[in-house]
Amino acid sequence: MLPVGGIKEKVVAAAAAGLTRVMLPARNRRDFDEIPQGARDKLQFVWLERRRRCDRRRTGGCEPGESGRE
């Protein structure tokens, strides 16, 4: 999965909207420190390597041994 831009803004907006989980490309982990602590505290982060895992996690499934939690 390719990285995307504007992670800080997207995550802050998700937290403000009341979401509890965000799924982001694993390559965007480098952007984690730019996200304000207040937004980080409200959200569970799932770091995705492949889109197939995204589909399973969105529907509640998870691959064995992967929590996806930051």
Side-chain angles (χ1 to χ4, degrees), residues 9-20 22 35 38-43:
E9 293 80 8
K10 290 175 174 94
V11 170
V12 168
L19 298 177
T20 58
V22 292
I35 300 167
R40 286 191 267 176
D41 291 343
K42 293 179 182 178
L43 297 166

Side-chain angles (χ1 to χ4, degrees), residues 5-51:
I7 291 297
K8 175 183 168 184
E9 293 80 8
K10 290 175 174 94
V11 170
V12 168
L19 298 177
T20 58
R21 179 187 305 159
V22 292
M23 294 184 275
L24 301 168
R27 293 185 188 180
N28 280 106
R29 277 185 184 263
R30 66 178 182 255
D31 301 317
F32 186 74
D33 291 337
E34 296 176 17
I35 300 167
Q37 188 66 46
R40 286 191 267 176
D41 291 343
K42 293 179 182 178
L43 297 166
Q44 175 189 14
F45 291 84
V46 178
W47 301 100
L48 303 168
E49 295 287 336
R50 295 194 171 105
R51 188 175 187 291

